[in-house]
Amino acid sequence: MNVQAYVVRDEQRPPDNVLLQVVQRGLRAQPKHLPSWLFYDERGSALFEQICEQPEYYLTRAEIALLKEHAGDIAQVLGPDVRLVEYGSGHAIKTRLLLEHLATPVAWVPVELSIEPLRLGMERMAAHFPHLPIQPLAVDFTRPLRLPVPPRAPRRTVLYFPGSTIGNFEDREAAQLLRKMRSEMGDNGGILVGADLKKDRATIEAAYNDAAGVTAEFTLNLLVRLNRELGCNFELGGFRHRARYNAMAGRIETHILSQREQYVRVGRLQIPFRKDEAMLVEYSCKYSVADFAALAAAAGLAVQRVWFDPERMFSLHYLTRAA
């Protein structure tokens, strides 16, 4: 297993006082909100993998279909001797489809906050590519990265951001993230980023409200985490999941709704909730091709190529520095 040593840091769980401050600040705001990274404790990461397998969740199937159709062409555009830096690598199932077509890749650098998915992804990738250097980073990809020294000089560094995770950021934050990636890829580098496409409301909303209730369990697991790590007393029966498509903003908005008037202990505070009061926990933005080109331009990037799955549900964009 060609994996360089790395320091495992539990950045999934910040110090208690920092986590408490983040949660208290969000729940005292109007309207209430919590950051979506709170979803991804060990249980949350496992539930997200289950979400990807639900029949209503078209995104993963569409992205895999896209890569099966176009991975050879994508690899030709990227060229040989690529260092592939993957944001939010998780179990890295989709990445294997791309790496199978890349000519003489220099290294794969998975960047993943959750330690267990990072470990499993590395093991699977090493089994498929025993000679591929793997240089993992157990860090938050939204912060500036210090990339490891590659085993040999790459022709270009390509930052790969699969899934539709870019859609979890508001436009201003997404542009900031793309600008950071522009800096990290270097002068001759590129960014390969997935984006979910706008489509009919019923299809989109079904993907975030699966009949089996896995997404609802995933959402409410955030409260389980706060109870465990901060000693809060959220009663799960007193809250419910809601995900609706805001067509004007072009995004799914996921909230946790209070089922009744109640107070919840968060540290030394008693946080009041009104009946039907909502706290925002995630955005999932959808794009047209023109929308995404405008977002890229705001970050000083230009779209060189766009690929689609056969049903045109999902898109993959290759970005380079704007002239």
Side-chain angles (χ1 to χ4, degrees), residues 6-282:
Y6 68 104
V7 178
V8 172
R9 292 181 297 219
D10 190 8
E11 297 195 35
Q12 181 76 7
R13 187 186 192 287
D16 285 347
N17 62 326
V18 175
L19 180 60
L20 180 61
Q21 289 171 13
V22 168
V23 174
Q24 287 181 334
R25 187 182 309 118
L27 294 184
R28 295 174 76 180
Q30 289 297 327
K32 292 180 170 66
H33 58 87
L34 291 171
S36 59
W37 55 260
L38 283 169
F39 285 137
Y40 296 98
D41 62 356
E42 186 174 343
R43 176 63 177 155
S45 295
L47 284 168
F48 182 73
E49 294 297 321
Q50 291 182 38
I51 288 171
C52 294
E53 298 170 359
Q54 299 309 304
E56 300 92 341
Y57 196 79
Y58 61 85
L59 290 92
T60 302
R61 292 192 303 276
E63 187 175 15
I64 289 173
L66 184 157
L67 287 166
K68 287 181 176 178
E69 179 92 3
H70 299 295
D73 186 39
I74 296 167
Q76 191 170 27
V77 169
L78 299 185
D81 301 320
V82 164
R83 172 171 61 166
L84 193 67
V85 179
E86 182 176 0
Y87 274 26
S89 58
H91 291 169
I93 296 168
K94 291 166 283 192
T95 315
R96 180 166 57 87
L97 296 172
L98 180 57
L99 280 167
E100 284 174 348
H101 291 83
L102 286 179
T104 58
V106 170
W108 174 53
V109 184
V111 184
E112 173 58 56
L113 194 61
S114 300
I115 301 300
E116 187 61 13
L118 178 62
R119 184 186 65 80
L120 290 173
M122 288 161 48
E123 288 180 357
R124 291 172 180 172
M125 200 67 80
H128 279 94
F129 305 101
H131 303 295
L132 174 70
I134 300 176
Q135 299 180 300
L137 292 175
V139 296
D140 178 358
F141 64 71
T142 65
R143 299 175 182 174
L145 301 183
R146 294 184 62 185
L147 296 178
V149 177
R152 57 187 173 88
R155 182 170 176 266
R156 66 165 47 97
T157 295
V158 174
L159 273 59
Y160 182 35
F161 198 14
S164 58
T165 309
I166 191 72
N168 295 145
F169 299 85
E170 294 187 72
D171 281 353
R172 178 179 56 81
E173 297 171 334
Q176 288 176 349
L177 180 60
L178 288 173
R179 278 194 291 271
K180 183 185 83 74
M181 296 170 77
R182 181 178 181 270
S183 173
E184 290 165 354
M185 74 188 193
D187 291 340
N188 191 42
I191 300 171
L192 198 59
V193 56
D196 193 21
L197 296 173
K198 290 178 176 176
K199 55 188 71 67
D200 66 281
R201 175 188 296 273
T203 299
I204 294 174
E205 288 194 345
Y208 297 86
N209 296 280
D210 59 275
V214 180
T215 307
E217 185 180 354
F218 170 76
T219 301
L220 294 177
N221 181 68
L222 184 156
L223 304 183
V224 175
R225 177 180 184 179
L226 297 183
N227 286 349
R228 181 182 67 250
E229 298 188 7
L230 294 181
C232 300
N233 62 341
F234 286 97
E235 294 182 19
L236 294 196
F239 295 88
R240 65 182 176 90
H241 158 92
R242 184 185 74 189
R244 291 179 178 171
Y245 184 57
N246 181 337
M248 185 73 70
R251 66 193 181 200
I252 279 281
E253 297 172 352
T254 300
H255 292 87
I256 296 176
L257 269 65
S258 176
Q259 301 269 55
R260 58 178 184 265
E261 288 190 11
Q262 56 186 311
Y263 284 84
V264 175
R265 183 181 66 248
V266 183
R268 295 183 178 180
L269 300 180
Q270 292 289 329
I271 303 293
F273 286 85
R274 302 184 306 276
K275 186 177 187 300
D276 295 325
E277 184 175 7
M279 52 180 158
L280 176 70
V281 289
E282 188 174 52

